[in-house]
């Protein structure tokens, strides 16, 4: 090979362009992964890419420190941060585990970063950090908080008061301590830039006239999602104010019995003007009549989230959904039933994403006729050719149904099936559901996310390892027989980034077989499995670039060094790759090996 | 809860008769029945501790039919959704559990767990917290603007505080806090229910 004359045409020619031109070309490269790739081509590209990077996505806030991030991307404008592991959603992670926002805001402010957008998921946010955020970044435009906690409406008041150019305040499913305050009043009269306002998750009362005035002076407002403290007549007034530009509406008002005819007529009139409305959600304390009022614009809807509409019975849901011919995204409760899903299948031909949530978690009724089964799933798969993402809580499943679904929908990217009763077999054949899930992974070549449930042996993991080549995230619960199951997944799924396992018999042999694998992954969660303290210690020794965290049952004290038994099973293990070593903010219940 | 070796194993939940070998290792395959615990969906603090130590719970567990027990964090519905979407009371059932509470002038409903209160004073305190310090009266406090009434299983509206507590929680279907001035003409059932 004659290295001296070997040409590398593309990069060497490109380097004759001035940096600004290269940077302009990079502007067209939006995805994080692609940008990461181009930064690796050569030193020059690395430098240009660094200074031109505007958006950064950090999937695990402990994988890197804020200081290092800012050093590398000093010109960043938009930051996405994720904190607690996914299973924190299900009360499996102690409240004080970590994921604190404050150090990030502190570093960004000190580093002179001109932050404009911040998106957080499962982070602990304090009022102090919100206040610091509001004061530190003049051009701050957009705050999106998903499943966060630790703050109150006082923090929101700081944001409202100090962010002069605020365009977006989007609060999704956060636990916010509501001081029933006047935070809405804190938006100055000069604030006219709001495009999106979502406070549906707030529990308390709000100042209705402040809200109305705010909406009235926000000519660009496209998305408004209110909480349950906004009654029907107030909502009607709000809608009338911004009807023509409203794209996204969240309804949530208490309705005593039925609205008065006059209020209802006003509501209908306001709805008729909402010609741009494409997305509807809320309805958490609302009766069916209010939903019916939206039928006139239902044909325009592309997104519908009725998963909090516990007061609306199945037949009303079905009646409404029937009109939503252009629906692409549907989140709904299982009270819609199999029959309702059949209606969805015949009416919503554009459907891409479906989530069916359980309406009765306490399983009070033995014969819960309105839950969904494999029948609904098969109907959807047959009727909706564009379906690519599904989250389905059901009470029973069969292999035959899953095989049919796989045949009907080879385009699944996300397939999350949760059979409510753990270890439940195929309810007709009493066999495990290995074959059914096997069919899914074999048919769906582009599958990136999978959650399995029901009775499953090691076989299903053999299939997953063999066929799920694009799989990035796998969630396992009450499944498998031996370490071989987990090994097949770790060895087979080359693109695996997140693996979360609970209550499955995988132990040290699987954990330790290929330590290098974890460098290619974001994180691994194992709870109530068979891994022992000794195994975790060995892993930590062999992989210094991992944080291996043991979350103890005993929340009040660290494990006593003398008493620990290496054979003791670890209740909760969370490990993740990191470039900054052991974190300093772990609470006593977390031991980092 | 401290790990105290054998002491913990005695209290560990098992299926099967007492007197089994307590040092026996748990089988590799953990069926969910082995770590069931009596946790209610909203009691996350209990959920996070690893085991239940009360003997009473073991009995409860063994009596309950399969599929009716609660597993920590299962089904995997996020805690926000659990608290905000699921039907917590069916309109036909009465007794302990969540009841809807409405208050005149407030445009939204609350739900509260009657079972978590020990008596009328407790209830008054809980209602107070629910509606943020309105000063709800339960027992004929003349200085209060509001009275608390409840709908019983016969569909009648009664003034809260008259009947013994146990009888009250067994028959209360929903609560309403109404202005005292409106109550007089409301058609409440007369007092003097047989005790």
């Amino acid at each position: 090979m004659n290295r001296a004359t070997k040409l590398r045409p593309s990069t060497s020619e490109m380097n004759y362009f001035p940096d600004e031109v290269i940077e302009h070309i990079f502007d067209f490269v939006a995805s994080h992964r692609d940008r990461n790739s181009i930064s690796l081509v050569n030193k020059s590209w690395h430098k240009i890419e660094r200074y031109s990077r505007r958006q950064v996505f950090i999937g695990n806030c402990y994988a890197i420190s804020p200081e290092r991030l800012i050093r590398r991307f000093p010109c960043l404008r938009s930051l996405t941060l994720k904190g607690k592991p996914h299973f924190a959603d299900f009360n499996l992670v102690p409240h004080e585990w970590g994921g604190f926002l404050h150090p990030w805001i502190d570093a960004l402010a000190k580093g002179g970063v001109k932050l404009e957008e911040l998106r957080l998921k499962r982070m602990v946010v304090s009022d102090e950090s919100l206040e610091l955020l509001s004061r530190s970044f003049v051009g701050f435009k957009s705050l999106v908080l998903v499943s966060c906690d630790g703050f109150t409406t006082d923090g929101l008041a700081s944001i409202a008061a100090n962010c002069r150019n605020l365009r977006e305040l989007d609060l999704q499913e956060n636990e916010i301590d509501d001081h029933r305050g006047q935070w809405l009043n804190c938006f100055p009269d000069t604030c006219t830039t709001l495009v999106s306002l979502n406070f549906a998750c707030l529990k308390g009362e709000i100042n209705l006239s402040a809200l109305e005035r705010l909406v009235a002076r926000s000519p660009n407002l496209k998305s408004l999602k209110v909480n349950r403290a906004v009654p029907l007549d107030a909502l009607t007034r709000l809608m009338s104010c911004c009807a023509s530009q409203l794209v996204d509406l969240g309804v949530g008002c208490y309705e005593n019995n039925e609205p008065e005819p006059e209020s209802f007529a006003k509501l209908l009139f306001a709805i008729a003007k909402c010609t741009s409305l494409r997305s509807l959600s809320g309805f958490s304390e609302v009766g069916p009549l209010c939903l019916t009022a939206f039928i006139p614009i239902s044909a325009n809807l592309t997104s519908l989230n009725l998963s909090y509409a516990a007061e609306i019975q199945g037949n009303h849901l079905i009646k409404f959904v029937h009109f939503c011919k252009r629906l692409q995204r549907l989140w709904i409760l299982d009270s819609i039933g199999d029959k309702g899903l059949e209606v969805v299948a015949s009416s919503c031909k554009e459907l891409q994403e479906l989530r069916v949530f359980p309406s009765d978690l306490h399983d009070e009724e033995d014969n819960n006729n309105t839950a969904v089964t494999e029948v609904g799933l098969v109907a959807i798969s047959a009727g909706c050719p564009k379906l690519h993402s599904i989250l389905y809580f059901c009470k029973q499943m069969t292999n035959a149904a899953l095989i049919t679904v796989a045949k009907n929908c080879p385009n699944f990217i996300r397939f999350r099936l949760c059979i409510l009763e753990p270890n439940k077999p195929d309810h007709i054949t009493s066999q495990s559901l290995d074959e059914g899930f096997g069919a899914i992974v074999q048919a769906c070549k582009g599958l990136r996310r999978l959650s399995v449930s029901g009775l499953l042996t090691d076989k299903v993991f053999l299939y997953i390892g063999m066929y799920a080549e694009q799989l990035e995230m796998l969630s396992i619960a009450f499944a498998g027989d031996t370490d071989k199951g987990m090994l097949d997944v770790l060895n087979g799924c080359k693109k695996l980034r997140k693996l979360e396992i609970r209550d499955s018999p995988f132990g040290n042999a699987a954990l330790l077989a290929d330590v290098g694998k974890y460098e290619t992954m974001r994180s691994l969660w194992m709870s109530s499995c068979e891994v022992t303290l000794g195994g975790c210690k060995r892993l930590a020794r062999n992989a210094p670039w991992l944080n291996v965290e043991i979350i103890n049952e005993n929340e009040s004290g660290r494990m006593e060094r003398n008493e620990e038994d290496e054979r003791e099973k670890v209740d909760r293990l969370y490990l993740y790759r990191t470039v900054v070593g052991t974190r300093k903010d772990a609470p006593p219940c977390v031991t980092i090996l | 809860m401290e790990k105290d070796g054998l002491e913990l194993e005695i209290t560990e939940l098992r299926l099967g008769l007492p007197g089994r070998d307590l040092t026996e290792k748990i089988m590799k395959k953990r069926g969910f029945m082995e770590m069931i615990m009596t946790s209610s969906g909203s009691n996350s603090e209990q959920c996070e501790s690893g085991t239940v130590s009360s003997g009473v719970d073991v009995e409860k567990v063994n009596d309950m039919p399969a599929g009716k027990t609660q597993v920590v964090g299962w089904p995997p519905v996020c805690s926000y959704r659990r608290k905000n979407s699921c039907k917590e009371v069916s309109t036909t059932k009465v007794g302990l559990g969540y009841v809807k509470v409405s208050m005149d002038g407030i445009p939204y409903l609350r739900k509260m767990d009657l079972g978590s209160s020990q008596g009328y004073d407790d209830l008054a305190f809980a209602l107070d917290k629910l509606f943020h310090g309105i000063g709800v009266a339960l027992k004929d406090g003349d200085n209060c603007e509001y009275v608390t009434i409840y709908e019983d299983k016969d569909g009648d509206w009664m003034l809260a505080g008259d009947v013994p507590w146990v009888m009250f929680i067994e028959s209360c279907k929903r609560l309403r806090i109404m202005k005292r001035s409106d109550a007089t003409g409301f058609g409440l059932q007369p007092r003097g229910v047989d005790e």
Side-chain angles (χ1 to χ4, degrees):
Chain A
M1 178 167 49
N2 193 346
R3 272 185 94 200
T5 55
K6 182 167 181 174
L7 281 173
R8 291 189 293 175
S10 47
T11 52
S12 58
E13 278 171 14
M14 265 195 76
N15 281 335
Y16 291 126
F17 291 135
D19 286 357
E20 303 82 63
V21 175
I22 300 181
E23 189 181 314
H24 183 66
I25 296 172
F26 287 178
D27 276 350
F28 295 98
V29 181
S31 106
H32 300 289
R33 275 183 221 173
D34 289 343
R35 289 208 67 127
N36 290 343
S37 301
I38 62 180
S39 72
L40 294 174
V41 167
N42 61 36
K43 280 207 179 107
S44 167
W45 282 30
H46 189 266
K47 183 170 164 215
I48 298 170
E49 202 282 319
R50 268 182 71 202
Y51 286 99
S52 63
R53 180 84 78 114
R54 296 280 176 267
Q55 291 179 327
V56 180
F57 170 85
I58 306 288
N60 173 7
C61 65
Y62 289 119
I64 189 166
S65 71
E67 290 76 20
R68 276 181 72 155
L69 176 73
I70 294 163
R71 238 179 303 145
R72 174 144 181 216
F73 301 117
C75 304
L76 79 92
R77 298 272 179 276
S78 163
L79 179 62
T80 301
L81 277 174
K82 292 189 177 181
K84 294 182 188 162
H86 177 223
F87 277 4
D89 285 351
F90 318 129
N91 290 334
L92 290 175
V93 175
H95 184 75
E96 67 278 19
W97 173 86
F100 305 105
L101 175 65
H102 200 84
W104 291 84
I105 304 294
D106 204 40
L108 289 162
K110 287 191 177 122
V113 172
K114 297 188 173 54
L115 193 68
E116 291 177 3
E117 290 176 11
L118 187 63
R119 302 180 62 103
L120 305 175
K121 188 165 187 180
R122 290 190 209 100
M123 299 280 295
V124 177
V125 176
S126 64
D127 287 343
E128 291 70 36
S129 38
L130 288 176
E131 154 117 61
L132 183 59
L133 168 69
S134 73
R135 291 193 187 284
S136 307
F137 310 108
V138 171
F140 192 75
K141 291 197 204 123
S142 165
L143 182 63
V144 180
L145 303 178
V146 180
S147 301
C148 297
D149 65 306
F151 61 108
T152 78
T153 43
D154 295 348
L156 298 179
S158 314
I159 298 288
N162 303 326
C163 299
R164 301 284 147 137
N165 295 304
L166 195 68
R167 291 207 198 141
E168 180 175 26
L169 179 61
D170 186 358
L171 308 169
Q172 299 175 29
E173 302 192 348
N174 303 288
E175 298 287 349
I176 306 174
D177 205 356
D178 197 328
H179 288 171
R180 266 164 48 247
Q182 302 291 314
W183 67 277
L184 272 173
N185 281 4
C186 296
F187 282 103
D189 291 337
T190 48
C191 175
T192 57
T193 47
L194 270 183
V195 175
S196 167
L197 179 64
N198 173 9
F199 59 93
C201 61
L202 282 179
K203 303 280 184 356
E205 304 119 55
I206 50 137
N207 185 324
L208 285 175
S209 62
L211 177 61
E212 287 177 37
R213 278 180 280 120
L214 179 61
V215 169
R217 65 176 184 276
S218 302
N220 300 320
L221 193 69
K222 289 204 172 67
S223 171
L224 179 64
K225 295 180 187 169
V226 301
N227 73 346
R228 60 187 183 181
V230 178
L232 208 59
D233 49 335
L235 184 72
T236 306
R237 284 194 299 274
L238 290 168
M239 283 170 64
S240 306
C241 213
C242 52
S244 54
Q245 76 239 25
L246 210 54
V247 172
D248 185 4
L249 178 68
V251 173
C253 57
Y254 165 60
E255 202 176 276
N256 217 331
N257 284 304
E258 286 182 4
E260 322 245 311
E262 201 185 307
S263 317
F264 194 66
K266 284 188 185 154
L267 177 65
L268 285 175
F269 190 68
I271 290 172
K273 292 200 282 181
C274 295
T275 48
S276 306
L277 200 62
R278 297 289 173 268
S279 172
L280 198 56
S281 61
F283 296 91
S284 56
E285 306 260 0
V286 171
L289 202 58
C290 192
L291 180 61
T292 313
F294 285 90
I295 288 180
I297 51 93
S298 56
N300 298 333
L301 292 178
T302 55
S303 171
L304 180 63
N305 182 355
L306 294 176
S307 64
Y308 288 101
E311 305 287 325
I312 300 181
Q313 283 98 10
N315 54 334
H316 296 289
L317 295 174
I318 296 171
K319 191 171 143 205
F320 187 78
V321 155
H322 167 67
F323 291 108
C324 301
K325 305 289 185 200
R326 294 213 190 97
L327 211 57
Q328 293 172 15
R329 197 173 90 136
L330 176 63
W331 291 23
I332 201 138
L333 289 172
D334 64 2
S335 47
I336 197 173
D338 287 332
K339 286 275 169 281
L341 290 177
E342 282 165 14
V343 172
V344 172
S346 62
S347 308
C348 309
K349 294 302 185 186
E350 301 295 312
L351 197 66
Q352 297 175 22
E353 179 189 335
L354 174 68
R355 296 196 190 189
V356 182
F357 293 97
S359 54
D360 183 13
L361 279 180
H362 302 289
D363 197 22
E364 312 269 296
E365 274 102 281
D366 232 335
N367 46 343
N368 188 355
N369 294 321
T370 55
V372 295
T373 70
E374 73 276 14
V375 171
L377 184 62
V378 169
I380 291 286
S381 73
C384 304
K386 300 190 180 176
L387 192 66
H388 59 61
S389 294
I390 190 158
L391 169 62
Y392 197 77
F393 285 84
C394 60
K395 59 179 187 179
Q396 63 193 38
M397 189 49 57
T398 65
N399 283 311
L402 286 173
I403 291 167
T404 306
V405 168
K407 251 199 289 260
N408 292 338
C409 282
N411 297 323
F412 274 124
I413 302 173
R414 294 172 204 95
F415 188 84
R416 296 158 69 189
L417 182 70
C418 178
I419 301 165
L420 292 168
E421 193 187 312
N423 288 333
K424 190 157 184 189
D426 179 320
H427 76 94
I428 292 181
T429 65
S430 297
Q431 289 181 331
S432 72
L433 291 170
D434 299 333
E435 297 306 313
F437 280 104
I440 295 285
V441 292
Q442 200 174 352
C444 304
K445 309 252 186 275
L447 194 69
R448 298 209 297 255
R449 183 168 180 184
L450 177 66
S451 300
V452 296
S453 59
L455 182 66
L456 295 166
T457 72
D458 281 348
K459 198 137 193 243
V460 72
F461 301 113
L462 177 71
Y463 289 142
I464 292 172
M466 234 182 341
Y467 295 113
E469 287 171 14
Q470 302 300 319
L471 196 67
E472 295 176 8
M473 182 169 177
L474 178 62
S475 306
I476 300 169
F478 307 103
D481 302 312
T482 71
D483 284 330
K484 186 174 186 302
M486 184 170 162
L487 280 167
D488 282 338
V489 168
L490 289 173
N491 292 335
C493 299
K494 301 293 179 212
K495 299 210 175 167
L496 195 65
R497 291 189 299 118
K498 288 186 282 186
L499 180 58
E500 45 187 32
I501 307 172
R502 64 166 291 177
D503 295 282
S504 301
F506 306 132
N508 295 339
L511 180 69
L512 295 165
D514 180 7
V515 165
K517 173 75 177 171
Y518 305 125
E519 196 176 6
T520 68
M521 291 168 57
R522 185 190 297 173
S523 64
L524 168 68
W525 169 282
M526 294 179 76
S527 59
S528 303
C529 297
E530 303 290 315
V531 292
T532 68
L533 181 58
C536 295
K537 279 186 174 173
R538 212 160 0 133
L539 174 62
R541 268 199 304 273
N542 293 338
W545 32 264
L546 283 183
N547 272 354
V548 178
E549 299 196 2
I550 309 293
I551 301 170
N552 304 319
E553 290 168 26
N554 176 10
E555 296 190 12
S556 58
R558 291 187 192 279
M559 295 189 301
E560 299 290 322
R561 291 282 148 192
N562 333 352
E563 289 171 24
E564 58 193 23
D565 181 355
E566 308 237 321
R567 289 161 298 170
E568 213 175 85
K569 282 196 217 152
V570 161
D571 194 54
R572 285 166 283 182
L573 161 68
Y574 180 55
L575 63 86
Y576 50 90
R577 66 184 175 190
T578 177
V579 294
V580 288
T582 307
R583 62 185 175 110
K584 307 283 184 295
D585 61 0
C589 61
V590 174
T591 308
I592 306 182
L593 298 175
Chain B
M1 202 165 32
E2 292 296 316
K3 286 254 178 204
D4 280 333
L6 195 58
E7 216 174 286
L8 185 71
E9 285 176 313
I10 288 169
T11 58
E12 199 170 20
L13 282 183
R14 302 287 181 111
L15 290 185
L17 300 170
R20 262 177 76 191
D21 181 7
L22 291 175
T23 58
E24 183 187 305
K25 296 275 179 206
I26 296 174
M27 294 182 304
K28 269 211 165 177
K29 174 134 189 170
R30 281 193 189 217
F32 86 101
M33 291 295 274
E34 289 203 32
M35 14 99 299
I36 40 185
M37 52 188 74
T38 53
S39 63
S40 68
S42 58
N43 194 341
S44 52
E45 244 144 89
Q46 265 187 12
C47 291
E48 282 171 30
S49 71
T51 55
V52 179
S53 60
S54 126
V56 173
D57 291 336
V58 175
E59 273 168 18
K60 256 198 226 163
V61 156
N62 286 336
D63 281 347
M64 287 164 99
K68 293 288 183 184
T69 48
Q70 306 275 331
V71 174
V72 178
W74 191 266
V77 172
C78 75
S79 47
Y80 176 88
R81 186 173 285 281
R82 271 182 195 272
K83 288 178 202 164
N84 289 285
S85 78
C86 305
K87 271 194 206 150
E88 277 149 12
V89 65
S90 98
T91 47
T92 51
K93 254 178 88 166
V94 293
L96 290 178
Y98 283 83
V99 296
K100 295 187 189 179
V101 188
S102 61
M103 178 164 173
D104 286 1
I106 305 272
Y108 50 86
L109 278 182
R110 297 283 179 154
K111 287 179 184 154
M112 71 171 292
D113 180 6
L114 281 187
S116 65
S117 298
Q118 261 73 60
Y120 284 113
D121 290 331
D122 237 18
L123 177 66
F125 184 71
L127 286 175
D128 206 57
K129 264 178 72 176
L130 261 190
F131 291 104
H132 295 289
I134 316 265
V136 174
L138 267 182
K139 289 199 172 189
D140 263 339
D142 287 328
N143 51 354
C144 180
E145 200 188 330
Y146 293 92
V147 289
T148 303
I149 61 174
Y150 68 98
E151 187 183 0
D152 73 2
K153 53 186 177 216
D154 299 324
D156 297 321
W157 286 92
M158 319 280 282
L159 191 65
D162 285 345
V163 302
W165 173 252
V166 173
M167 204 168 148
F168 165 70
I169 56 176
E170 271 170 21
S171 60
C172 172
K173 263 170 57 181
R174 60 192 299 167
L175 282 164
R176 183 173 160 188
I177 302 168
M178 71 188 302
K179 287 211 160 76
R180 184 177 289 279
S181 47
D182 291 340
T184 44
F186 191 67
L188 290 171
Q189 295 304 304
R191 280 169 162 219
V193 177
D194 290 334
E195 295 191 0

